[in-house]
Amino acid sequence: MSTQTHPEPTVHAQQPADPDAFQHRHIGPGRDEQDAMLRVIGVPTLDALIDQTIPSGIRFTRTLDLPAAESEAAYLRRLSTIAAANRVTRSYIGMGYYDTHTPAVILRNVFENPGWYTPYTPYQAEIAQGRLESLLNFQTMVSDLTGMPVASASLLDEGTAAGEAMSMFHRINTKKAPAGQPSVFLVSSRIFPQTLDVLKGRAAPLKIRLEIGDPASLPGDLFDRAFGLLLQYPDDHGEVGDLRPIIEKAHAAGVLVAVASDLMALTLLVPPGEMGADVVIGNSQRFGVPLGYGGPHAAFFATRDAYVRQAPGRIIGVSVDARGQRAYRMALQTREQHIRREKATSNICTAQALLANIAAMYAVFHGPHGLRGIGERIHGMARALEDALVAQGLRQTNGAYFDTLRVEGANAAAVRAAAESAGLDFRYFADGAIGISVDETTTIDDVTSIVKTFAAGGHPVFKEGMPLTLKAPLQLRRTSAYLAHPVFNTHHSETEMMRYIRRLERKDVGLDTSMIPLGSCTMKLNAAAEMLPVTWPGFSRMHPFAPAVHAQGYRRIFKELEGALCEITGFAGMSLQPNSGAQGEFAGLMAIRAYHRDRGDAQRDVVLIPSSAHGTNPASATMAGLRVVVVACDEHGYIELDDLRAKAQQHRDTLAALMVTYPSTYGIFEERIREICAIVHEHGGQVYMDGANMNAQVGLTSPASIGADVCHLNLHKTFAIPHGGGGPGMGPIGVAKHLVPFLPGHPVVAVGGEKAIPAISAAPWGSASILLISYGYIRMLGAGGMTDATRVAILNANYIKARLEAHYEILYANHNGRVAHEMIFDLRPFKHAAGSGVDEQDVAKRLMDYGFHAPTVSFPVAGTMMIEPTESEPKGELDRFCDALIAIRKEIQAVLDGEADAKDNVLKNAPHTADMVASDTWSHPYSREQAAYPLPFLRANKIWPPVSRIDNPYGDRNLICACPPMEDYV
């Protein structure tokens, strides 16, 4: 957390003289291209365009006070010295985080490969078949190992997954609490402390009371009043117990049960699903995903078939395409929060897709026998360690365990001193016990080193292949098979694995293939120099709960990054903890809630949200226990001030906040934004600014300048963290001085304000390792480079508008006819004109034939497309995209004029696969050339969609969310 104030910055947009300046690598159009684009727009200079776009009253008058821009080489050289300040020890802390080996074939071909880390969420399934297949593998892996029928395609972390389980149980609860009484959720005292803290933050606004204790000892009347129960298996001490009796007791009382578990442990232990659990959650990190000082890691969520339509997050399903071929798609899409808004089942937008794919590939590479072998080796190391410690007269208190020992009888202070001297980190309990968790990387030499920290002598015995008996009762030893599907039993050599990964990659479109013009998503360059350090051992192998003295390099980066983000936003404090934009929204609203309560205004629970707001806003407000009141927007996309005043006045005694996206999701800067904020403040509310569109603000204006009190920043948008096929993301929040005391805390590591709200994520700095990417973006661009990036983002958007406005209706623009960094094209007139039936989906699918991912479809206005080009795209790519849309407009006109068949045309049949075009049979009234090569540039670089248009209704009627059965592969 940083708390500081800064002078108001001003514009600095000088082109640096250094030809090696990083901004030349990041910003697409050069000076000559910019001049050509300005001529098309019809403005003399870029300054003039900015003056016509951003209201003068909120513009900066001085430069951002940031360190000078660094070249790539200088930045990486300096960062290597910072990495050296981290002391990477052998960590045996555990608590849900374990060191692991990332197979090199996965590290090189997935983690470090832009073909996997630059694509967007697979909403356009036809050009996302590779990622979708891999995510289906993830779901199958989780389902098999947990013993549950269905799993989603990943959540953020174990703590938030537990919160989602509690919320789901609460939604489907049929046991109503007595009037005036809170609902009761039972929690085992043996869950991880970070999970408990996240639960506390999630429970309070929903009026859920947590009852914490030993579930076997909780009184029966609590079960009678409770709707849910959370258990940990193995538990916080590392102990494994039979959950059947407590699950049966809970079910007899009508209580649903969630179990937090460990996928690696479940290679040897009876899975919770076989013991009757209703939900199983946890973290897949130890399946090849580096520690990264806390993230990013993919959590998992598995449940019963009966609850699949209530489960949070995304679920990948199997359907068919227009030719009857198997095709993958995101199932149950109507639950997406941007569609359901305040009725959404959660506010999840980011899922940890890239990390889920790494975990899935880890399972594919090792297969069931390999995973079981890894599990047995881990347990064997723990057994050898226990034998050696007990031989010294120490007590090991876990009667049954997988990888974690709890040791009593040692002098904890002496052990700690010896361990730290030897570069070993253990967990130290308040009662003097010592926790030791071994992992995949632990060797017998490591075990010997551990033993030596307790006393001299004593050599543990472990030999590869020696008979191993699981230290657990027979009824807890797994006998059921898992991962029997061919995909987990085929690709075990590096050659096979490399080819499988590359085969899936070639089925997808990412930024490595072409421009992704998604509005509200900011798909900009993720520079290699920003990405490289994430996998350096000095950053990737740090445990999130390592002693602070060992993480001085990380702490320095956090301090500098917080300071830079405070400078950019104009705020006094910053929390880096929220690990997605939606989590940032929740964190900001919870800080506002705590502020009002601290002032004795607990009744303030109304949040005003414009109809133009970002889709997660109302869902986050509902999660925070706030009542949503929608404020109208006029025909130009601006907030209706009269409606705002009326509703602020109507709710003056209960007004908590206004949530406003700036510039708006309609792609314009509100001219009267300061007046809007003043109205809310006048009636006792706070202003929450959604930072989704900060790419149009940095260096030119700021949240503080418009009058906001808090905002979140999508680092995976404005600050260059890649989208990874749907995640990772980060959503830190910046706050004004009066909200600094309420920044989120953490139960294990000291962070946050003196009146901190509970933890928002399981790790104290969220997905800490990818903060390096945004840190690099800021340090290599500097103040001038970031400001120019903003200016060019606005230039590129207005250039596309200028080229296309004669062909498509632009829904919103300001009084100068300018858009911010994105714009909405209205396609609704085509659908009904002359009975053509051509709609936004047809245009989206046809764009695939031209080699482009579709813009954002039907959001925020149904029947439209929202386009955002970003500053990273050069003029040539913008022109190819515009040429494609102009050609498509001519194809639409051919349908409107009756020249093309209304049902059998290039739009309705798009996308066209190579199999379709190469078929011996061609019955369409248009040519194969028109289908596949409608413009000349495609002949040099044709991207073939792997499947034709997918039948979504079929997939909804036949919900299959795991790898198809083995006979389908024969």
Side-chain angles (χ1 to χ4, degrees), residues 323-341:
R323 295 167 62 83
Q325 303 298 311
R326 181 194 304 139
Y328 307 107
R329 33 86 78 170
M330 279 174 36
L332 307 176
Q333 291 190 63
T334 56
R335 295 172 313 146
E336 288 292 323
Q337 80 296 321
H338 66 270
I339 298 170
R340 298 199 66 191
R341 297 171 68 86

Side-chain angles (χ1 to χ4, degrees), residues 834 836 838 890-902 905 907:
S836 78
V838 175
K890 293 177 181 177
E891 293 170 350
I892 295 172
Q893 194 62 43
V895 176
L896 297 178
D897 294 341
E899 298 172 7
D901 188 276
N905 58 64
L907 295 151

Side-chain angles (χ1 to χ4, degrees), residues 654-668:
T654 56
L655 181 60
L658 165 75
M659 296 186 80
V660 60
T661 304
Y662 200 74
S664 76
T665 309
Y666 289 167
I668 53 174

